[in-house]
Amino acid sequence: MSTIQKNDVPNERADATAEFDLLIQVARRYYEGEATQAEIAEELGLSRIKVSRLLRQARDEGIVDVRIRLHRSVARDLEARLKERFGIETALIAIDHRDEEKQRREVAVLVADYFEQTLYDGAVVAVGMGRNVAAVADTQGLAVLRLGTFVCGTGGASKAGEPGNADHICRKLARRFGGVPETLYAPAFVPDHALRDSLLQNQTVKQTFDLATRADFALIGVGDLGEESHMMRMGWFRRDEILEARASGVVGDLMGYDFFDIDGNERNELLGGRVIGLRLDDLRRIPRVIAVASEPTKMLAILAALRTGAVDVIATSLSNVHGILALDEAMRGA
């Protein structure tokens, strides 16, 4: 039976570090220095096969991120039109993908880039739940915060599992961008207004919720009332309740609490008041609210969300932006 010598582990670590340093060096020379693989191989005394393998490894491990972006002139024009129509600060517009997961990742990467450029030490970020918000936490990159807090802007839901809960997302965002997570120890959904109001008076819940309302940023999803919506999958509302709300003109929600119609007006008479999370008025007081929605089925909900006045940054796909602007123009001319 073989034995491990005392110096074997340190040597393995040293070898791993040297291999990683070589990988970084090769990637920098190829992507930043614009050297050919042959030039890199000759310069570093490597075979071209080795250089090719290292470049592939750099992409596979997320060290190098090769992206196809929307042309700057197109993005600037669409962003200017969205700013003029809805008074937002920024639009993050991703190229279109037929694959839903790829589309979600494309949008999430733009949001991650935005955070890397705008987050600052000491910033507090209120966080919602859902697949689009979770996708931002799953991006790869360097931490940018030494101090900062990612606080749950909504309670938890057992049916969502870890990936879909704000608490889990907060923890991943804290690892991704730096800072610490803050959990809201309350359920996301309760059966009535009275229980919600009572829970919000609990000192533990209130302390965290108050921190969320004072956040510098909010990262939230845009909900719709479709069959695949987060609320439907969680079973928070009966199908007949959703259908009745849709028939009455409700098209979407932010944070699962405040529902709104196509004009951005609050419509909480049927579904509102059962989710513990930030309200529209809370979001309007947060300096930068980033709303993320990649699905084409959410076009109406995104348009309505923009009309609430609570969204400062919208992150979505190119086709959604074209659809939103066309719908808004048609409705204004009607």
Side-chain angles (χ1 to χ4, degrees):
M1 183 171 65
S2 62
T3 58
I4 299 176
Q5 301 298 322
K6 278 197 234 176
N7 294 329
D8 283 352
V9 172
N11 286 341
E12 287 176 7
R13 289 176 181 166
D15 290 344
T17 300
E19 181 76 3
F20 182 76
D21 289 343
L22 179 61
L23 188 151
I24 295 295
Q25 188 177 3
V26 169
R28 284 191 179 279
R29 289 289 292 118
Y30 186 76
Y31 290 103
E32 294 179 358
E34 298 184 351
T36 66
Q37 293 187 28
E39 289 170 340
I40 296 169
E42 183 178 355
E43 178 184 334
L44 300 178
L46 304 171
S47 69
R48 291 186 63 178
I49 293 175
K50 172 79 168 178
V51 171
S52 178
R53 183 185 65 77
L54 288 171
L55 290 172
R56 185 169 60 253
Q57 182 182 347
R59 292 193 298 272
D60 291 344
E61 295 183 6
I63 294 167
V64 171
D65 187 8
V66 180
R67 307 176 198 168
I68 300 173
R69 292 182 179 271
L70 194 62
H71 195 281
R72 285 194 183 94
S73 63
V74 176
R76 280 196 299 265
D77 175 65
L78 291 172
E79 183 180 43
R81 292 170 64 187
L82 288 168
K83 287 179 177 180
E84 181 182 359
R85 296 277 184 92
F86 306 108
I88 62 171
E89 174 190 304
T90 304
L92 308 174
I93 308 169
I95 60 171
D96 291 323
H97 274 288
R98 291 183 179 179
D99 183 270
E100 186 176 292
E101 286 301 320
K102 286 183 179 179
Q103 185 69 81
R104 193 172 290 121
R105 286 196 297 270
E106 284 289 336
V107 175
V109 164
L110 294 183
V111 177
D113 288 348
Y114 174 82
F115 268 149
E116 287 181 354
Q117 295 167 21
T118 58
L119 286 178
Y120 49 85
D121 285 345
V124 176
V125 184
V127 180
M129 62 168 62
R131 290 172 291 185
N132 285 288
V133 178
V136 179
D138 287 333
T139 60
Q140 296 177 320
L142 299 175
V144 294
L145 293 178
R146 291 188 300 274
L147 298 170
T149 304
F150 292 88
V151 56
C152 297
T154 186
S158 59
K159 286 187 178 180
E162 281 194 354
N165 270 300
D167 174 64
H168 183 74
I169 297 169
C170 278
R171 293 179 187 280
K172 292 185 75 173
L173 285 169
R175 289 195 297 269
R176 165 65 176 84
F177 295 102
V180 296
E182 180 80 20
T183 298
L184 179 62
Y185 292 103
F189 178 81
V190 292
D192 56 60
H193 299 253
L195 180 55
R196 179 188 185 276
D197 293 343
S198 176
L199 282 169
L200 285 175
Q201 294 308 308
N202 176 275
Q203 191 56 40
T204 301
V205 175
K206 187 176 186 302
Q207 180 177 334
T208 305
F209 196 76
D210 286 348
L211 177 62
T213 63
R214 300 194 304 271
D216 305 292
F217 299 82
L219 176 62
I220 63 173
V222 178
D224 64 1
L225 274 66
E227 296 293 330
E228 289 299 313
S229 70
H230 190 73
M231 292 176 296
M232 285 288 282
R233 288 185 290 108
M234 294 302 99
W236 292 352
F237 303 104
R238 299 190 312 272
R239 191 169 186 275
D240 63 296
E241 290 180 305
I242 294 288
L243 292 175
E244 184 181 359
R246 283 159 58 179
S248 72
V250 179
V251 299
D253 72 275
L254 291 172
M255 300 296 293
Y257 188 96
D258 277 335
F259 295 82
F260 42 75
D261 62 20
I262 190 60
D263 295 315
N265 301 315
E266 293 180 23
R267 294 290 305 278
N268 289 315
E269 63 271 20
L270 294 174
L271 302 177
R274 301 187 226 175
V275 175
I276 296 179
L278 295 172
R279 299 199 57 181
L280 279 173
D281 284 343
D282 298 320
L283 293 173
R284 290 187 183 107
R285 287 190 289 269
I286 293 175
R288 286 181 177 174
V289 174
I290 301 98
V292 192
S294 62
E295 301 85 352
T297 56
K298 291 186 176 180
M299 195 182 300
L300 273 178
I302 299 168
L303 171 59
L306 290 169
R307 289 175 167 180
T308 67
V311 176
D312 301 291
V313 179
I314 185 64
T316 190
S317 68
L318 176 62
S319 58
N320 274 349
V321 170
H322 280 302
I324 289 163
L325 290 168
L327 281 170
D328 183 65
E329 185 173 346
M331 292 178 69
R332 287 169 184 260

mmCIF file of all heavy atoms in Angstrom, residues 282-317:
data_model
loop_
_atom_site.group_PDB
_atom_site.id
_atom_site.type_symbol
_atom_site.label_atom_id
_atom_site.label_comp_id
_atom_site.label_asym_id
_atom_site.label_seq_id
_atom_site.Cartn_x
_atom_site.Cartn_y
_atom_site.Cartn_z
ATOM 1 N N ASP A 282 -42.604 50.770 -1.145
ATOM 2 C CA ASP A 282 -41.258 50.512 -0.622
ATOM 3 C C ASP A 282 -40.231 50.561 -1.749
ATOM 4 O O ASP A 282 -39.154 51.149 -1.600
ATOM 5 C CB ASP A 282 -41.202 49.131 0.048
ATOM 6 C CG ASP A 282 -42.129 49.008 1.249
ATOM 7 O OD1 ASP A 282 -42.221 49.980 2.013
ATOM 8 O OD2 ASP A 282 -42.741 47.948 1.420
ATOM 9 N N LEU A 283 -40.562 49.942 -2.869
ATOM 10 C CA LEU A 283 -39.638 49.907 -4.002
ATOM 11 C C LEU A 283 -39.402 51.304 -4.569
ATOM 12 O O LEU A 283 -38.282 51.635 -4.977
ATOM 13 C CB LEU A 283 -40.177 48.986 -5.096
ATOM 14 C CG LEU A 283 -40.237 47.497 -4.745
ATOM 15 C CD1 LEU A 283 -40.957 46.711 -5.837
ATOM 16 C CD2 LEU A 283 -38.840 46.925 -4.524
ATOM 17 N N ARG A 284 -40.440 52.118 -4.606
ATOM 18 C CA ARG A 284 -40.284 53.483 -5.144
ATOM 19 C C ARG A 284 -39.315 54.312 -4.312
ATOM 20 O O ARG A 284 -38.717 55.264 -4.818
ATOM 21 C CB ARG A 284 -41.650 54.172 -5.220
ATOM 22 C CG ARG A 284 -42.575 53.592 -6.282
ATOM 23 C CD ARG A 284 -43.837 54.425 -6.414
ATOM 24 N NE ARG A 284 -44.769 53.835 -7.374
ATOM 25 C CZ ARG A 284 -45.896 53.212 -7.043
ATOM 26 N NH1 ARG A 284 -46.243 53.106 -5.763
ATOM 27 N NH2 ARG A 284 -46.681 52.697 -7.972
ATOM 28 N N ARG A 285 -39.139 53.967 -3.047
ATOM 29 C CA ARG A 285 -38.222 54.722 -2.178
ATOM 30 C C ARG A 285 -36.781 54.215 -2.264
ATOM 31 O O ARG A 285 -35.868 54.873 -1.773
ATOM 32 C CB ARG A 285 -38.710 54.662 -0.727
ATOM 33 C CG ARG A 285 -39.942 55.523 -0.463
ATOM 34 C CD ARG A 285 -40.223 55.625 1.026
ATOM 35 N NE ARG A 285 -40.716 54.368 1.576
ATOM 36 C CZ ARG A 285 -41.998 54.033 1.670
ATOM 37 N NH1 ARG A 285 -42.915 54.889 1.231
ATOM 38 N NH2 ARG A 285 -42.369 52.883 2.184
ATOM 39 N N ILE A 286 -36.586 53.060 -2.863
ATOM 40 C CA ILE A 286 -35.228 52.523 -3.028
ATOM 41 C C ILE A 286 -34.596 53.168 -4.260
ATOM 42 O O ILE A 286 -35.197 53.188 -5.332
ATOM 43 C CB ILE A 286 -35.279 50.989 -3.159
ATOM 44 C CG1 ILE A 286 -35.752 50.368 -1.836
ATOM 45 C CG2 ILE A 286 -33.906 50.426 -3.545
ATOM 46 C CD1 ILE A 286 -35.958 48.872 -1.888
ATOM 47 N N PRO A 287 -33.393 53.744 -4.127
ATOM 48 C CA PRO A 287 -32.792 54.521 -5.231
ATOM 49 C C PRO A 287 -32.675 53.784 -6.558
ATOM 50 O O PRO A 287 -32.905 54.363 -7.616
ATOM 51 C CB PRO A 287 -31.410 54.896 -4.679
ATOM 52 C CG PRO A 287 -31.590 54.904 -3.197
ATOM 53 C CD PRO A 287 -32.568 53.812 -2.909
ATOM 54 N N ARG A 288 -32.291 52.494 -6.538
ATOM 55 C CA ARG A 288 -32.114 51.765 -7.794
ATOM 56 C C ARG A 288 -32.775 50.393 -7.703
ATOM 57 O O ARG A 288 -32.275 49.494 -7.020
ATOM 58 C CB ARG A 288 -30.629 51.595 -8.119
ATOM 59 C CG ARG A 288 -29.964 52.871 -8.606
ATOM 60 C CD ARG A 288 -28.510 52.630 -8.938
ATOM 61 N NE ARG A 288 -27.874 53.817 -9.477
ATOM 62 C CZ ARG A 288 -26.582 53.924 -9.745
ATOM 63 N NH1 ARG A 288 -25.784 52.882 -9.535
ATOM 64 N NH2 ARG A 288 -26.072 55.039 -10.218
ATOM 65 N N VAL A 289 -33.876 50.256 -8.402
ATOM 66 C CA VAL A 289 -34.599 48.990 -8.456
ATOM 67 C C VAL A 289 -34.328 48.343 -9.810
ATOM 68 O O VAL A 289 -34.679 48.908 -10.851
ATOM 69 C CB VAL A 289 -36.105 49.188 -8.244
ATOM 70 C CG1 VAL A 289 -36.855 47.874 -8.447
ATOM 71 C CG2 VAL A 289 -36.372 49.750 -6.848
ATOM 72 N N ILE A 290 -33.690 47.178 -9.782
ATOM 73 C CA ILE A 290 -33.363 46.455 -11.010
ATOM 74 C C ILE A 290 -34.371 45.323 -11.166
ATOM 75 O O ILE A 290 -34.415 44.402 -10.341
ATOM 76 C CB ILE A 290 -31.935 45.877 -10.967
ATOM 77 C CG1 ILE A 290 -30.913 46.996 -10.765
ATOM 78 C CG2 ILE A 290 -31.624 45.109 -12.253
ATOM 79 C CD1 ILE A 290 -30.454 47.175 -9.336
ATOM 80 N N ALA A 291 -35.201 45.389 -12.199
ATOM 81 C CA ALA A 291 -36.204 44.356 -12.465
ATOM 82 C C ALA A 291 -35.710 43.469 -13.601
ATOM 83 O O ALA A 291 -35.330 43.966 -14.665
ATOM 84 C CB ALA A 291 -37.540 44.987 -12.826
ATOM 85 N N VAL A 292 -35.723 42.156 -13.382
ATOM 86 C CA VAL A 292 -35.176 41.198 -14.342
ATOM 87 C C VAL A 292 -36.282 40.278 -14.832
ATOM 88 O O VAL A 292 -36.991 39.661 -14.033
ATOM 89 C CB VAL A 292 -34.060 40.347 -13.697
ATOM 90 C CG1 VAL A 292 -33.303 39.571 -14.766
ATOM 91 C CG2 VAL A 292 -33.119 41.207 -12.882
ATOM 92 N N ALA A 293 -36.446 40.200 -16.144
ATOM 93 C CA ALA A 293 -37.460 39.308 -16.726
ATOM 94 C C ALA A 293 -37.017 38.923 -18.128
ATOM 95 O O ALA A 293 -36.967 39.777 -19.016
ATOM 96 C CB ALA A 293 -38.819 39.985 -16.758
ATOM 97 N N SER A 294 -36.723 37.669 -18.348
ATOM 98 C CA SER A 294 -36.201 37.236 -19.641
ATOM 99 C C SER A 294 -37.250 36.596 -20.544
ATOM 100 O O SER A 294 -37.084 36.557 -21.757
ATOM 101 C CB SER A 294 -35.053 36.233 -19.429
ATOM 102 O OG SER A 294 -35.527 35.077 -18.764
ATOM 103 N N GLU A 295 -38.339 36.090 -19.966
ATOM 104 C CA GLU A 295 -39.302 35.300 -20.735
ATOM 105 C C GLU A 295 -40.166 36.156 -21.659
ATOM 106 O O GLU A 295 -40.667 37.210 -21.246
ATOM 107 C CB GLU A 295 -40.221 34.525 -19.783
ATOM 108 C CG GLU A 295 -39.503 33.569 -18.854
ATOM 109 C CD GLU A 295 -38.988 34.212 -17.585
ATOM 110 O OE1 GLU A 295 -39.048 35.459 -17.484
ATOM 111 O OE2 GLU A 295 -38.512 33.479 -16.701
ATOM 112 N N PRO A 296 -40.391 35.707 -22.893
ATOM 113 C CA PRO A 296 -41.263 36.453 -23.812
ATOM 114 C C PRO A 296 -42.713 36.484 -23.351
ATOM 115 O O PRO A 296 -43.465 37.378 -23.735
ATOM 116 C CB PRO A 296 -41.113 35.689 -25.142
ATOM 117 C CG PRO A 296 -40.628 34.328 -24.763
ATOM 118 C CD PRO A 296 -39.797 34.509 -23.545
ATOM 119 N N THR A 297 -43.099 35.539 -22.525
ATOM 120 C CA THR A 297 -44.473 35.510 -22.002
ATOM 121 C C THR A 297 -44.746 36.644 -21.022
ATOM 122 O O THR A 297 -45.902 36.890 -20.670
ATOM 123 C CB THR A 297 -44.738 34.169 -21.292
ATOM 124 O OG1 THR A 297 -43.748 33.977 -20.268
ATOM 125 C CG2 THR A 297 -44.684 33.015 -22.271
ATOM 126 N N LYS A 298 -43.697 37.330 -20.589
ATOM 127 C CA LYS A 298 -43.855 38.387 -19.592
ATOM 128 C C LYS A 298 -43.887 39.794 -20.199
ATOM 129 O O LYS A 298 -43.780 40.785 -19.474
ATOM 130 C CB LYS A 298 -42.736 38.303 -18.555
ATOM 131 C CG LYS A 298 -42.834 37.082 -17.660
ATOM 132 C CD LYS A 298 -41.789 37.103 -16.559
ATOM 133 C CE LYS A 298 -41.966 35.920 -15.611
ATOM 134 N NZ LYS A 298 -40.962 35.914 -14.525
ATOM 135 N N MET A 299 -44.038 39.889 -21.502
ATOM 136 C CA MET A 299 -43.977 41.186 -22.159
ATOM 137 C C MET A 299 -44.992 42.178 -21.591
ATOM 138 O O MET A 299 -44.663 43.330 -21.276
ATOM 139 C CB MET A 299 -44.191 41.018 -23.661
ATOM 140 C CG MET A 299 -43.788 42.227 -24.489
ATOM 141 S SD MET A 299 -44.120 41.950 -26.239
ATOM 142 C CE MET A 299 -43.109 40.507 -26.567
ATOM 143 N N LEU A 300 -46.239 41.746 -21.450
ATOM 144 C CA LEU A 300 -47.273 42.626 -20.891
ATOM 145 C C LEU A 300 -46.950 43.017 -19.463
ATOM 146 O O LEU A 300 -47.122 44.173 -19.065
ATOM 147 C CB LEU A 300 -48.638 41.935 -20.948
ATOM 148 C CG LEU A 300 -49.458 42.076 -22.224
ATOM 149 C CD1 LEU A 300 -50.756 41.284 -22.087
ATOM 150 C CD2 LEU A 300 -49.765 43.535 -22.521
ATOM 151 N N ALA A 301 -46.504 42.035 -18.671
ATOM 152 C CA ALA A 301 -46.184 42.308 -17.270
ATOM 153 C C ALA A 301 -45.021 43.288 -17.149
ATOM 154 O O ALA A 301 -45.027 44.161 -16.272
ATOM 155 C CB ALA A 301 -45.851 41.001 -16.554
ATOM 156 N N ILE A 302 -44.021 43.173 -18.030
ATOM 157 C CA ILE A 302 -42.884 44.103 -18.001
ATOM 158 C C ILE A 302 -43.346 45.516 -18.339
ATOM 159 O O ILE A 302 -42.965 46.489 -17.680
ATOM 160 C CB ILE A 302 -41.783 43.657 -18.978
ATOM 161 C CG1 ILE A 302 -41.243 42.280 -18.601
ATOM 162 C CG2 ILE A 302 -40.638 44.672 -18.997
ATOM 163 C CD1 ILE A 302 -40.364 41.654 -19.668
ATOM 164 N N LEU A 303 -44.169 45.640 -19.387
ATOM 165 C CA LEU A 303 -44.703 46.949 -19.763
ATOM 166 C C LEU A 303 -45.446 47.573 -18.595
ATOM 167 O O LEU A 303 -45.244 48.751 -18.263
ATOM 168 C CB LEU A 303 -45.634 46.810 -20.970
ATOM 169 C CG LEU A 303 -46.440 48.050 -21.366
ATOM 170 C CD1 LEU A 303 -45.521 49.220 -21.695
ATOM 171 C CD2 LEU A 303 -47.360 47.743 -22.543
ATOM 172 N N ALA A 304 -46.308 46.785 -17.963
ATOM 173 C CA ALA A 304 -47.074 47.303 -16.831
ATOM 174 C C ALA A 304 -46.162 47.669 -15.660
ATOM 175 O O ALA A 304 -46.368 48.694 -14.997
ATOM 176 C CB ALA A 304 -48.109 46.266 -16.391
ATOM 177 N N ALA A 305 -45.138 46.844 -15.405
ATOM 178 C CA ALA A 305 -44.203 47.127 -14.316
ATOM 179 C C ALA A 305 -43.468 48.449 -14.556
ATOM 180 O O ALA A 305 -43.264 49.241 -13.627
ATOM 181 C CB ALA A 305 -43.200 45.982 -14.181
ATOM 182 N N LEU A 306 -43.072 48.696 -15.801
ATOM 183 C CA LEU A 306 -42.415 49.960 -16.130
ATOM 184 C C LEU A 306 -43.338 51.144 -15.871
ATOM 185 O O LEU A 306 -42.897 52.233 -15.492
ATOM 186 C CB LEU A 306 -41.963 49.954 -17.587
ATOM 187 C CG LEU A 306 -40.792 49.030 -17.928
ATOM 188 C CD1 LEU A 306 -40.610 48.912 -19.435
ATOM 189 C CD2 LEU A 306 -39.503 49.525 -17.279
ATOM 190 N N ARG A 307 -44.619 50.942 -16.066
ATOM 191 C CA ARG A 307 -45.587 52.025 -15.872
ATOM 192 C C ARG A 307 -45.913 52.301 -14.404
ATOM 193 O O ARG A 307 -46.545 53.306 -14.095
ATOM 194 C CB ARG A 307 -46.874 51.695 -16.632
ATOM 195 C CG ARG A 307 -46.726 51.781 -18.144
ATOM 196 C CD ARG A 307 -47.982 51.320 -18.853
ATOM 197 N NE ARG A 307 -47.982 51.678 -20.269
ATOM 198 C CZ ARG A 307 -48.966 51.386 -21.115
ATOM 199 N NH1 ARG A 307 -50.026 50.704 -20.682
ATOM 200 N NH2 ARG A 307 -48.894 51.757 -22.386
ATOM 201 N N THR A 308 -45.479 51.390 -13.493
ATOM 202 C CA THR A 308 -45.731 51.640 -12.060
ATOM 203 C C THR A 308 -44.862 52.754 -11.506
ATOM 204 O O THR A 308 -45.164 53.326 -10.464
ATOM 205 C CB THR A 308 -45.464 50.365 -11.235
ATOM 206 O OG1 THR A 308 -44.058 50.059 -11.281
ATOM 207 C CG2 THR A 308 -46.292 49.191 -11.710
ATOM 208 N N GLY A 309 -43.743 53.039 -12.179
ATOM 209 C CA GLY A 309 -42.812 54.040 -11.661
ATOM 210 C C GLY A 309 -41.883 53.509 -10.592
ATOM 211 O O GLY A 309 -41.124 54.271 -9.993
ATOM 212 N N ALA A 310 -41.920 52.180 -10.351
ATOM 213 C CA ALA A 310 -41.076 51.600 -9.308
ATOM 214 C C ALA A 310 -39.765 51.057 -9.849
ATOM 215 O O ALA A 310 -38.854 50.747 -9.083
ATOM 216 C CB ALA A 310 -41.825 50.473 -8.600
ATOM 217 N N VAL A 311 -39.631 50.938 -11.176
ATOM 218 C CA VAL A 311 -38.459 50.303 -11.795
ATOM 219 C C VAL A 311 -37.500 51.370 -12.310
ATOM 220 O O VAL A 311 -37.895 52.276 -13.042
ATOM 221 C CB VAL A 311 -38.890 49.373 -12.945
ATOM 222 C CG1 VAL A 311 -37.672 48.798 -13.659
ATOM 223 C CG2 VAL A 311 -39.790 48.253 -12.417
ATOM 224 N N ASP A 312 -36.232 51.237 -11.937
ATOM 225 C CA ASP A 312 -35.194 52.161 -12.404
ATOM 226 C C ASP A 312 -34.322 51.545 -13.496
ATOM 227 O O ASP A 312 -33.820 52.250 -14.368
ATOM 228 C CB ASP A 312 -34.295 52.581 -11.237
ATOM 229 C CG ASP A 312 -35.081 53.247 -10.126
ATOM 230 O OD1 ASP A 312 -35.569 54.364 -10.347
ATOM 231 O OD2 ASP A 312 -35.228 52.632 -9.053
ATOM 232 N N VAL A 313 -34.130 50.228 -13.425
ATOM 233 C CA VAL A 313 -33.315 49.507 -14.401
ATOM 234 C C VAL A 313 -34.091 48.282 -14.851
ATOM 235 O O VAL A 313 -34.515 47.478 -14.010
ATOM 236 C CB VAL A 313 -31.964 49.067 -13.803
ATOM 237 C CG1 VAL A 313 -31.141 48.294 -14.839
ATOM 238 C CG2 VAL A 313 -31.180 50.262 -13.277
ATOM 239 N N ILE A 314 -34.305 48.140 -16.140
ATOM 240 C CA ILE A 314 -34.985 46.953 -16.660
ATOM 241 C C ILE A 314 -33.968 46.083 -17.386
ATOM 242 O O ILE A 314 -33.166 46.586 -18.180
ATOM 243 C CB ILE A 314 -36.161 47.318 -17.596
ATOM 244 C CG1 ILE A 314 -36.918 46.055 -18.023
ATOM 245 C CG2 ILE A 314 -35.704 48.134 -18.793
ATOM 246 C CD1 ILE A 314 -37.598 45.325 -16.906
ATOM 247 N N ALA A 315 -33.984 44.800 -17.113
ATOM 248 C CA ALA A 315 -33.093 43.842 -17.772
ATOM 249 C C ALA A 315 -33.945 42.780 -18.450
ATOM 250 O O ALA A 315 -34.673 42.045 -17.782
ATOM 251 C CB ALA A 315 -32.158 43.202 -16.752
ATOM 252 N N THR A 316 -33.856 42.720 -19.768
ATOM 253 C CA THR A 316 -34.695 41.782 -20.511
ATOM 254 C C THR A 316 -34.078 41.517 -21.884
ATOM 255 O O THR A 316 -32.944 41.916 -22.153
ATOM 256 C CB THR A 316 -36.139 42.319 -20.623
ATOM 257 O OG1 THR A 316 -36.986 41.300 -21.152
ATOM 258 C CG2 THR A 316 -36.205 43.563 -21.495
ATOM 259 N N SER A 317 -34.832 40.875 -22.760
ATOM 260 C CA SER A 317 -34.320 40.500 -24.084
ATOM 261 C C SER A 317 -34.649 41.561 -25.131
ATOM 262 O O SER A 317 -35.536 42.408 -24.941
ATOM 263 C CB SER A 317 -34.932 39.170 -24.510
ATOM 264 O OG SER A 317 -36.314 39.331 -24.749
#
